[in-house]
Amino acid sequence: MSALISGASSAGVALPQRASAKRTPQRVLPGFRLTLGYTVLYLSLIVLIPITALFFKTFTLTWEQFVFAVTSPRVMASYRLTFGASLIAALVNLVFGLLLAWVLVRYKFPGKKIVDALVDLPFALPTAVAGISLTALLAGNGWLGQYLEPMGIKLAFTPAGVVIALIFVGMPFVVRTVQPVLEDAEKELEEAATALGANRLQIFTKVIFPHIAPALLTGFAMAFARAIGEYGSVIFIAGNMPMISEITPLIIIGKLEQYDYAGATAVAVVMLVLSFVLLLVINALQTWQRRHTGASS
Amino acid sequence: MTSKLKTLLAALALATGGLASSQTLLNGSYDVAREFYKDYNAAFIAHYKKTTGKDVKIDQSHAGSSAVARSVADGLDADVVTMNTSTDVEFLANAGVVAKDWAKRFPGNASPTTSTMLFLVRNGNPKGIKDWDDLTKPGIQVIVVNPKTGGNGRYTYLAAWGYAKKKGATDAQAAEFVGKLYKNVPVLGKGGRDATTAFLQRNIGDVLVTFESEVVSVNKEFGEGKVDAVYPSISILAENPVAVVERTVAKKGTAVLAKAYLDYLYSDEGQEIAAKHAMRPYSQAILKKNAAVFKPIQLFTVQEMFGSLSEAQKVHFNDGGQFDKLYTVR
């Protein structure tokens, strides 16, 4: 638990903390006890108590019932789809989000402010609207779908559609975490590297990338976590076929429709634990990465 | 600001019971009944004023049928529930908020209206679809609702199963028949409207299986002549049960009003409004009067074929049941 709190906070404000830690190793702000107390209380009220309630609801099941509820073939297939599609979507966002952030920070072009604002749209748009629009676009009679489907590319109502929807909702995370770090990067370092005879690839891999890697990983983790829980944008485009294109949140809704509260929460708990472990791994990776580059620079 | 304060005070007065002169009734109902109850509420308010001299205000809360049932069970103060599947009311009875014998409190299993499953096909019926058998033929794409997430889907599944049984199939043969039908399904809708959208706006599939009442609203929404309704030879009778939420009326003192509200559904006027919205009226006279809309087809009930809806739920739709087997055993 404490690992999560420290991990999350260090992920969120990765850079300022590091910078201040360099200059002043001892605590600057007074009132540590008060702030810690507030942090724990607030987290308990908003996060821990609801999640505990979730766990308690599953305790009404026996162990056998629990295992049966969370390992039936349909549920297993939905885990594969949800986690697989989320991973692919987060990886795509990692690459293209970085590109987007790069362009927004390093170049000037007309309409840049508008493009910058557009990045936030997936945050603000109700996800169901996004799902419906994407479906309308990619379905066999949609603007894009009518050209793609004759070529044999079927996106709507397939797992590929799920990935596209998840890319859409996760896109701002990578851009918005990497952008400020890139802006912060000191141009002088690159100039020094050039003066010392480094080529562009070397500058990127040895100077820029280590600097932005923690932020990239944070953005990746957030895009991934967001995708796992995503429901609204996906159900319209997925086709929702059992064993093929059913996401885990839909399984949970299906169980609720059958008044199977305990079964629904059991699946939710499995999702929660799996994503928690994955986020911990990403956090650990981030810490390792920071230490690694911190030592080398 | 002051008007807000006033409504707040009015709400408080109502909550403490009987202080205000007019009572408010909350009807918890399912999505597609919204238009019907809008018309019905207006008629009921006028009727109640005429017979008792009292003003009433009626609020509606709509969502998926079982989503409403869940929120009522969790404490939503609905005075009455009007659902599209009896399992939803059954659930509320088990939760203790609706009388155990709710089905006997009103005529016709407490269902003032019923509906059935029909087919919608593209204009002119290019694939020549006439009956359930045609839906299992190779090359036909069928759009249905997922029985796991919608009552519409459960009735579709049970109608197909019952059709096979009526034609003399054994359970194994019926399972095979239904399996073939679901092999022809390219997209499972989450709910009734979802499936309608896939069929009409995305142009997917050759046939949509849905409630009779949905067929009429499709013509309203998308214009006449885009699709044709096809009446299969045999289909299922889907009841739309109603019940008084005893917990709420005891607290709010609205028992008399709630009963009057549901009773009036059985009046000629209430039945006519239902017929206008393509829900099959309980009254035989009004059903006959609207024979042009409600073409007579052979209907079987869930009770005669499956015992009860909760029985069917256990065998077919619960995890590991017959429906899961269609997809997991190949």
Side-chain angles (χ1 to χ4, degrees):
Chain A
M1 215 252 346
S2 65
L4 174 72
I5 294 172
S6 71
S9 66
S10 71
V13 285
L15 235 102
Q17 210 180 49
R18 207 176 116 196
S20 69
K22 249 187 218 163
R23 269 176 238 124
T24 50
Q26 70 272 65
R27 248 176 243 134
V28 200
L29 292 173
F32 169 70
R33 278 178 199 194
L34 191 69
T35 47
L36 180 73
Y38 170 74
T39 306
V40 172
L41 176 74
Y42 192 73
L43 262 180
S44 305
L45 282 177
I46 303 293
V47 180
L48 290 177
I49 291 174
I51 286 180
T52 315
L54 188 70
F55 275 90
F56 269 106
K57 201 109 193 179
T58 60
F59 289 159
T60 54
L61 293 174
T62 66
W63 178 246
E64 284 76 23
Q65 284 170 323
F66 178 83
V67 170
F68 178 76
V70 301
T71 59
S72 77
R74 272 180 71 225
V75 180
M76 294 301 277
S78 81
Y79 296 144
R80 278 195 291 277
L81 176 68
T82 300
F83 286 93
S86 300
L87 189 68
I88 296 171
L91 284 172
V92 170
N93 276 327
L94 184 72
V95 174
F96 290 94
L98 172 62
L99 261 177
L100 209 55
W102 183 267
V103 169
L104 284 172
V105 170
R106 291 292 166 111
Y107 300 104
K108 282 202 182 89
F109 52 90
K112 184 174 155 178
K113 281 258 161 64
I114 296 172
V115 173
D116 199 34
L118 280 177
V119 170
D120 282 332
L121 263 192
F123 274 152
L125 201 67
T127 50
V129 176
I132 289 173
S133 327
L134 283 173
T135 316
L137 206 62
L138 297 173
N141 63 346
W143 283 0
L144 285 175
Q146 59 180 328
Y147 304 114
L148 293 175
E149 288 208 351
M151 292 192 276
I153 306 171
K154 208 171 150 10
L155 296 176
F157 312 116
T158 64
V162 177
V163 174
I164 292 175
L166 295 181
I167 291 173
F168 180 85
V169 296
M171 194 270 287
F173 288 97
V174 175
V175 181
R176 288 299 183 232
T177 45
V178 174
Q179 210 176 359
V181 182
L182 262 182
E183 268 164 5
D184 238 31
E186 291 165 51
K187 265 251 150 85
E188 290 78 7
L189 279 179
E190 284 169 57
E191 283 160 8
T194 320
L196 291 170
N199 63 30
R200 285 174 175 215
L201 185 71
Q202 280 172 325
I203 292 177
F204 183 78
T205 52
K206 300 264 158 95
V207 179
I208 300 170
F209 187 75
H211 184 60
I212 57 171
L216 257 181
L217 266 178
T218 306
F220 172 78
M222 290 204 287
F224 181 66
R226 175 81 173 83
I228 287 170
E230 183 51 28
Y231 177 71
S233 65
V234 177
I235 42 157
F236 294 100
I237 202 168
N240 305 328
M241 301 297 290
M243 306 300 291
I244 300 166
S245 52
E246 236 180 1
I247 54 167
T248 313
L250 183 74
I251 297 268
I252 294 173
I253 296 284
K255 283 184 187 291
L256 287 177
E257 292 285 327
Q258 302 162 38
Y259 303 115
D260 182 7
Y261 284 86
T265 43
V267 176
V269 160
V270 168
M271 264 185 107
L272 202 67
V273 170
L274 275 177
S275 24
F276 184 69
V277 168
L278 282 167
L279 289 178
L280 268 187
V281 169
I282 293 171
N283 262 328
L285 209 66
Q286 213 177 25
T287 316
W288 172 81
Q289 203 274 344
R290 200 174 290 144
R291 203 175 297 139
H292 180 75
T293 53
S296 74
S297 68
Chain B
M1 190 64 208
T2 44
S3 72
K4 251 187 195 166
L5 203 69
K6 261 184 207 162
T7 38
L8 195 76
L9 282 175
L12 263 175
L14 274 177
T16 46
L19 285 174
S21 61
S22 79
Q23 283 185 309
T24 309
L25 191 83
L26 177 61
N27 177 7
S29 188
Y30 57 101
D31 266 332
V32 290
R34 185 169 319 200
E35 286 82 18
F36 164 61
Y37 278 107
K38 228 164 91 189
D39 283 4
Y40 173 75
N41 288 346
F44 174 75
I45 289 168
H47 161 81
Y48 201 69
K49 176 88 180 160
K50 211 162 62 191
T51 49
T52 65
K54 281 184 201 153
D55 286 315
V56 282
K57 195 173 160 297
I58 295 158
D59 292 328
Q60 293 169 265
S61 165
H62 292 269
S65 191
S66 45
V68 171
R70 276 197 306 277
S71 47
V72 171
D74 287 343
L76 175 73
D77 275 338
D79 300 90
V80 295
V81 284
T82 52
M83 299 299 196
N84 67 3
T85 29
S86 49
T87 34
D88 294 328
V89 188
E90 204 71 48
F91 166 72
L92 288 174
N94 288 335
V97 297
V98 157
K100 287 266 181 265
D101 63 341
W102 62 272
K104 295 193 184 73
R105 297 275 174 107
F106 295 95
N109 260 336
S111 300
T113 59
T114 57
S115 194
T116 186
M117 306 312 289
L118 299 182
F119 308 158
L120 266 186
V121 295
R122 308 266 171 220
N123 193 16
N125 198 358
K127 301 266 168 129
I129 290 159
K130 295 210 166 50
D131 215 338
W132 292 97
D133 295 309
D134 298 317
L135 306 191
T136 63
K137 286 181 184 155
I140 300 283
Q141 290 202 313
V142 189
I143 306 297
V144 295
V145 174
N146 189 340
K148 293 270 187 178
T149 54
N152 185 319
R154 285 191 275 277
Y155 277 119
T156 302
Y157 175 100
L158 295 176
W161 185 282
Y163 168 81
K165 292 281 282 187
K166 282 267 177 193
K167 290 270 162 164
T170 62
D171 276 346
Q173 283 165 332
E176 199 195 323
F177 179 81
V178 174
K180 265 200 211 155
L181 197 161
Y182 278 85
K183 277 225 171 68
N184 284 345
V185 175
V187 174
L188 276 176
K190 190 180 77 73
R193 281 287 148 91
D194 202 23
T196 308
T197 309
F199 183 68
L200 278 152
Q201 285 192 325
R202 310 276 167 266
N203 233 354
I204 299 173
D206 303 305
V207 53
L208 169 75
V209 187
T210 191
F211 280 120
E212 189 172 35
S213 50
E214 186 77 355
V215 172
V216 172
S217 56
V218 160
N219 277 340
K220 259 190 227 149
E221 291 280 323
F222 295 91
E224 304 264 346
K226 273 194 146 177
V227 286
D228 295 344
V230 172
Y231 285 72
S233 61
I234 302 172
S235 196
I236 197 164
L237 185 81
E239 292 174 326
N240 304 329
V242 299
V244 171
V245 182
E246 304 293 342
R247 183 196 62 200
T248 312
V249 296
K251 196 164 68 182
K252 282 168 65 179
T254 45
V256 178
L257 174 63
K259 178 145 187 352
Y261 181 77
L262 295 183
D263 275 336
Y264 193 61
L265 281 169
Y266 290 90
S267 71
D268 281 357
E269 201 181 355
Q271 295 278 295
E272 281 285 5
I273 297 171
K276 221 171 65 199
H277 288 269
M279 293 146 103
R280 290 187 174 233
Y282 169 77
S283 150
Q284 289 304 307
I286 290 166
L287 184 66
K288 277 216 188 75
K289 223 174 99 187
N290 292 284
V293 184
F294 307 110
K295 293 193 180 118
I297 59 174
Q298 191 190 336
L299 295 174
F300 63 85
T301 62
V302 173
Q303 284 74 17
E304 67 171 283
M305 191 64 71
F306 303 97
S308 72
L309 212 48
S310 23
E311 201 60 39
Q313 174 76 37
K314 250 181 249 154
V315 176
H316 293 280
F317 306 127
N318 276 357
D319 288 341
Q322 194 65 45
F323 178 74
D324 278 355
K325 282 184 197 144
L326 291 184
Y327 282 97
T328 49
V329 185
R330 296 256 169 187

